Amino acid sequence: MSIVRILAVARRIIQGFRRDERTLGLIFVVPLVVTALLGWVIRDQKDVTVEVVMVNSAGPPGQRIIDALTQATIGAPEGIEVISIAGSEEAARAALRDGNGDLAVVLPGALFDDVLAGRRPHVTVITPGTDPATDGAALGAFQALMATLAGQLAAATGGVAVIPIIDRETVFLSASADALDVLAPVFLAYFGYFFVFILTGISFLRERVGGTLERLLATPVSRAEIVLGYGLGFGFFATLQVIVLTLYILAKVDVPALGPLPAFTIGLAVQSSGSPILAFLLAVLLSLGAVSLGIFLSTFARTELQIMQFIPLVIVPQGLLGGIFWPVDRLPDILRAVANVLPMTYAVDGLKAVMLRGADLGDAAVRLDFVVLAGIAALFVVLAGATIKREVA
Amino acid sequence: MTGSVPAVEAVGLVKTFGSVRAVDGIDLTLGAGRIYGLLGPNGSGKTTFIRMVAGLAHPTAGTARILGTLVPDRSLLARIGYMPQVEAVYPELSVEENVAFFARLEGRRDPAAVNRVLDLTDLGDRRGTPAMHLSGGMRRRLSLACTLVHEPPVLLLDEPTVGVDPALRAQFWAHFRRLADAGTTILVASHVMDEADRCDELVFVRSGRILVRGTSAEIRTSAGTTDLESAFLHHAGLDSEGRPLTAVSS
Ligand SMILES: Nc1ncnc2c1ncn2[C@@H]1O[C@H](COP(=O)(O)OP(=O)(O)O)[C@@H](O)[C@H]1O
Ligand SMILES: [Mg+2]
């Protein structure tokens, strides 16, 4: 052991970084920026009002409950509001499906018979089911409101508070869906994007610094041919990756106990209702954009380390703002504006629509997602092509 | 075939990098079917000149034509074979895969073309070896194989024989001669003089300018010397120890 040699090694590392201002800046700036962004997203989320659709099958007494609920929501701290009264449970489900409401409450015909007979009545609550966290929050707000109202009634009549039993139903997936069911299909896109971007960025950087790009440009190959060839080549691996992940996410294979090995299950068996083909096409379009972005940004890197430094710029914001964890429409206005230009936002929106709501190309929102993703991919193909100059000196 | 159109024609080519004048006004016309040696020390502008002629660098001033067509023109590229000074091969691809890749880009899809250049560069028994496991000299040969595979009428070779063993080097030159006899124009850049006698004509460059052009014999005669090193010094205006002849020593 020689302290001199240890210090010599340490010194050479510090000297090396001294000439790489970008890495230095990133060591200090990136954690601050990412943490600040996370804080902004979490703290400044818009408070949303839970919009309730009522369905009354309980006759005039049911109407009185609806009136009382409507009254009680005024000034209720939870931010909950009865926005409409639907003629039937079907109509209420249709309203939720179209995004008109966060929660539907069905007062059943047997409501008052149950109350008069001294049984706890049942109330059916329907949520969209595509975002368990938001659904849970909406349900909580509604339960709080019911409790308040029941307490007031009990005080007024001198009776006991009757709190109904809530039967949960969802429009999409099932009431037992958890966060994984919602996240898994979206992660498909996110992982694909991440790896394709990094791999393309590094490969193309090697072409640039290794001289093979200049060598390529001395052949009749065109810039567009190079970019599209890269897209196809990495698209091949992105495709395999998406297929493997999709199978794992959707599958459930029970492997029986074998000798000393206990029984186990392969696959997450997440709930899904849409066309895997459409989801796959969305992921492929997103990947093509990632390939072109990797080529484009490789112009601004000299080393593979510097490609890694694009992760906080490219990957992290898309993860935080793209609608994976928090709905885009709840973001603060500025961040929502940013989210609206990120490809991830459209991929996530499309994947959720397809995989969770079973939407297809008949859905205008899904069509928009496809068009925007294709547009972004095309834009970056052009930008990437523009960075491949004959003069690569 | 191309009639009287020169194979390569450079007019007033200049390339500056900041304050460095890498190529400082070169006029050069090369006729078909000959081997030209572009000779000069490191940093004299040989690589920069070749890159401009190949259309890989934009001249600061001047123009280049190949087979009568103004550079850059993508349709020309299939008719040029450019061998860069640094081996530009894919380390993770095998020898054969590298050659086949460039052959396909050049529009050659027959395996015979690949086998032919692998034999020529003596890499036939290494065809399956990843390029990253080759020695420096072998990589050089692989790079040359990739350049020759489509049999272009104009070859621009930047120091093609560095690190190649003498026996194989002799084979290369024999092959270059056969190609030239068949009408191929070959420009070979080199910073060493020992292969100069294999060229039909020599172009001496220094500091981005042409010092002299002619056959090896012509250049030696005009310098009044028997070896090319001294002839170079003479034409560069230097004495036998490399000092400027006009400088007044104090
Ligand atoms: N891309 C570049 N950027 C800056 N200077 C360069 C570049 N390429 C070449 N040069 C400079 O131009 C001069 C000629 O270089 P080069 O053409 O490589 O000479 P040679 O091939 O004869 O050794 C040198 O001074 C070199 O440093
Ligand atoms: Mg050179």
Side-chain angles (χ1 to χ4, degrees), chain A residues 25-380:
Chain A
L26 276 148
I27 289 174
F28 300 106
V29 174
V30 164
L32 283 177
V33 170
V34 171
T35 312
L37 189 61
L38 192 62
W40 196 1
V41 169
I42 293 178
R43 291 243 169 101
D44 283 3
Q45 284 211 3
K46 292 214 172 104
D47 290 331
V48 284
T49 303
V50 177
E51 297 179 335
V52 182
V53 178
M54 298 296 303
V55 179
N56 180 22
S57 302
Q63 187 56 48
R64 283 209 299 281
I65 293 185
I66 293 174
D67 291 342
L69 271 173
T70 311
Q71 275 301 313
T73 57
I74 300 168
E78 291 85 9
I80 183 164
E81 189 185 350
V82 177
I83 57 156
S84 66
I85 297 170
S88 67
E89 187 178 321
E90 278 322 301
R93 281 174 177 271
L96 292 192
R97 194 172 292 126
D98 297 340
N100 299 322
D102 303 308
L103 193 86
V105 179
V106 183
L107 305 178
L111 185 76
F112 276 86
D113 294 339
D114 284 341
V115 173
L116 292 179
R119 289 189 294 267
R120 278 179 74 187
H122 284 256
V123 166
T124 306
V125 171
I126 309 170
T127 55
T130 47
D131 182 351
T134 306
D135 285 4
L139 185 65
F142 177 70
Q143 280 173 317
L145 185 68
M146 292 278 282
T148 315
L149 197 61
Q152 284 169 1
L153 265 171
T157 56
V160 230
V162 182
I163 304 213
I165 296 166
I166 289 179
D167 298 327
R168 276 205 63 187
E169 286 179 20
T170 56
V171 179
F172 303 108
L173 300 187
S174 79
S176 65
D178 56 18
L180 186 65
D181 292 307
V182 178
L183 279 180
V186 171
F187 266 22
L188 276 185
Y190 192 60
F191 281 135
Y193 195 83
F194 182 86
F195 285 114
V196 165
F197 169 74
I198 290 295
L199 292 180
T200 315
I202 289 179
S203 302
F204 215 81
L205 176 85
R206 286 208 206 140
E207 296 255 21
R208 284 185 201 278
V209 299
T212 47
L213 180 59
E214 170 159 301
R215 183 64 185 83
L216 282 185
L217 294 176
T219 74
V221 75
S222 75
R223 304 185 287 181
E225 285 163 353
I226 296 176
V227 177
L228 293 177
Y230 255 76
L232 215 58
F234 281 105
F236 173 75
F237 290 104
T239 302
L240 289 183
Q241 186 195 40
V242 168
I243 289 174
V244 169
L245 254 178
T246 308
L247 288 179
Y248 182 72
I249 284 169
L250 297 180
K252 187 175 192 319
V253 179
D254 290 312
V255 180
L258 195 78
L261 290 175
F264 62 98
T265 312
I266 298 175
L268 299 176
V270 306
Q271 302 178 12
S272 152
S273 49
S275 147
I277 307 275
L278 276 185
F280 170 72
L281 287 178
L282 282 166
V284 166
L285 272 181
L286 185 73
S287 300
L288 185 61
V291 168
S292 308
L293 186 68
I295 293 177
F296 175 68
L297 287 181
S298 72
T299 320
F300 307 103
R302 285 281 149 263
T303 64
E304 292 166 11
L305 197 64
Q306 289 183 337
I307 292 284
M308 296 297 171
Q309 292 166 1
F310 287 120
I311 293 177
L313 205 70
V314 172
I315 304 297
V316 174
Q318 307 220 60
L320 293 181
L321 305 180
I324 298 178
F325 300 106
W326 303 282
V328 172
D329 54 15
R330 299 244 302 262
L331 293 175
D333 288 334
I334 298 175
L335 293 183
R336 197 175 49 182
V338 174
N340 281 336
V341 300
L342 302 177
M344 192 61 62
T345 306
Y346 297 91
V348 168
D349 185 75
L351 280 170
K352 283 191 168 171
V354 169
M355 297 290 272
L356 306 181
R357 292 193 270 116
D360 54 26
L361 287 177
D363 186 321
V366 175
R367 280 202 303 274
L368 178 73
D369 291 328
F370 266 99
V371 168
V372 173
L373 280 176
I376 291 176
L379 172 74
F380 275 97

